[in-house]
Amino acid sequence: MGNPLQPVAQMPVPASTANTYTDLNGLAALKKDSKSPQAIHAIAQQVDALFLQMMLKSMRDASAGQGEADSNEMGMYQDMFDKQVALTLSQHQGLGIGTALTRQLSNAAAAAPGAPAAGTPATGAAQGAAAGGAATGAPAAGAPGAGGAAPPAPAATSSASPSTSMLQSATQFVSEVLPTIQRAANALGVSPLGMLAQAALETGWGQRMPRTADGTPSLNMFGIKADDGWAGARAVASTVEFSGGVATQRQTAFRAYGSIQESVSDFANLLKGSHRYRNAIAAGGNAQAYVNSIGQSGYATDPEYANKLNDILNGSTLRMALNVGAKKL
């Protein structure tokens, strides 16, 4: 007898080949290679295609009562056609959802473990303050941070333990900014813990802060925006602002500083110089009251800003970072 037939090795399917909605091999390839830039782009296109499918289905349903009723076979073919059209459109311009999702997923994948904290260039593209906070010296414009463009800073709660990379970033961040924050907090008469939690939220533990045109980190610890009265350097970043509960993405200019001390001092002057933050200063050494007052003051447009501050203040990440550095407050 001749040699038995050997099974032919299955050729790997590139993630970018999911070009027809019935291509199960292409979809399976996306699962195996979900971290590569090509796969991220393809996954985002699939999401965009889902929204296009829903739009087309709604249009079909709206016109279903007009004219003669379609047969079951015709409905099936129309459904197949719509799904393929949606996928094809998503691979060209689509609705823009895929583009935004690609940017967000790419930034998340680019955040390397143990990336440098405040004072050194962060790894991802600067996307503004994390998870919704930024203020400006003008009360009418006080707020928006960037939680939408950039992945929100992971705020570990007291019941969850942070990952090793997050703890390393948080520990480095605390060691770099806490001495300066302690001096400013003592001068204001407030708890440094509250200010530290706010700086952690605004910068994603030092991993995400706006950058200047030459790529230098802005060292903007509290997401303060650069209004018309700001004569210093600026860093433009994509932010998400909330108005009437609706999130809107926009490009925003933030203040840029030459050092962490400059940033913290500017924030302290902002708190002292604005009547809207009087309750935060009146909180004194009560860190919980401080973050609640900041959340209620309108410092950020994010309606969840106070909750996010509380998650960090009462979370295990901050507690463990302080313990690792043996910081006494």
Side-chain angles (χ1 to χ4, degrees):
M1 295 179 61
N3 294 330
L5 294 176
Q6 298 296 322
V8 178
Q10 185 176 5
M11 296 297 291
V13 181
S16 58
T17 60
N19 294 324
T20 59
Y21 82 95
T22 57
D23 184 4
L24 300 182
N25 287 332
L27 293 177
L30 295 181
K31 296 180 181 180
K32 295 179 181 179
D33 186 28
S34 60
K35 300 298 183 182
S36 70
Q38 295 83 0
I40 289 175
H41 181 65
I43 291 170
Q45 287 181 338
Q46 294 288 333
V47 174
D48 214 346
L50 288 175
F51 280 91
L52 285 166
Q53 289 176 29
M54 289 189 288
M55 291 177 59
L56 291 172
K57 187 177 186 305
S58 296
M59 294 168 62
R60 294 285 188 192
D61 292 343
S63 60
Q66 302 176 9
E68 297 182 1
D70 293 329
S71 64
N72 291 336
E73 290 80 5
M74 179 62 71
M76 179 184 69
Y77 288 129
Q78 284 182 341
D79 184 61
M80 294 170 61
F81 176 77
D82 290 347
K83 287 179 179 178
Q84 185 59 49
V85 167
L87 184 57
T88 302
L89 289 175
S90 71
Q91 293 171 344
H92 292 81
Q93 187 172 0
L95 297 174
I97 298 174
T99 302
L101 185 58
T102 298
R103 182 167 57 247
Q104 183 171 357
L105 292 176
S106 298
N107 289 339
T120 58
T123 51
Q127 296 297 330
T136 174
T157 62
S158 56
S159 60
S161 296
S163 65
T164 301
S165 61
M166 181 188 293
L167 181 57
Q168 289 175 345
S169 298
T171 301
Q172 184 178 355
F173 177 76
V174 169
S175 67
E176 292 193 21
V177 305
L178 183 55
T180 303
I181 286 179
Q182 278 185 308
R183 289 191 293 269
N186 291 339
L188 289 171
V190 300
S191 168
L193 274 177
M195 293 179 62
L196 181 60
Q198 190 174 3
L201 175 62
E202 290 290 348
T203 65
W205 297 103
Q207 301 307 297
R208 291 185 297 275
M209 61 182 77
R211 292 174 180 266
T212 60
D214 63 2
T216 303
S218 63
L219 300 182
N220 192 328
M221 297 292 105
F222 297 94
I224 303 179
K225 293 164 66 176
D227 56 13
D228 293 337
W230 176 250
R234 296 170 178 244
V236 178
S238 178
T239 68
V240 172
E241 300 188 22
F242 290 82
S243 178
V246 179
T248 304
Q249 187 173 353
R250 64 185 64 179
Q251 293 294 110
T252 304
F254 293 88
R255 299 182 184 185
Y257 304 93
S259 67
I260 293 173
Q261 183 175 356
E262 287 182 14
S263 174
V264 176
S265 296
D266 191 34
F267 177 68
N269 291 333
L270 175 64
L271 292 185
K272 289 188 298 184
S274 178
H275 186 66
R276 69 193 299 187
Y277 306 123
R278 65 189 184 281
N279 290 334
I281 294 180
N286 188 331
Q288 190 73 58
Y290 170 86
V291 297
N292 289 336
S293 296
I294 285 291
Q296 296 167 3
S297 69
Y299 186 88
T301 59
D302 185 353
E304 293 297 316
Y305 192 68
N307 291 334
K308 293 174 181 177
L309 287 174
N310 273 291
D311 284 344
I312 292 180
L313 178 64
N314 301 307
S316 59
T317 302
L318 179 59
R319 182 175 63 255
M320 294 174 69
L322 290 170
N323 290 337
V324 170
K327 303 298 182 182
K328 304 296 183 182
L329 297 180

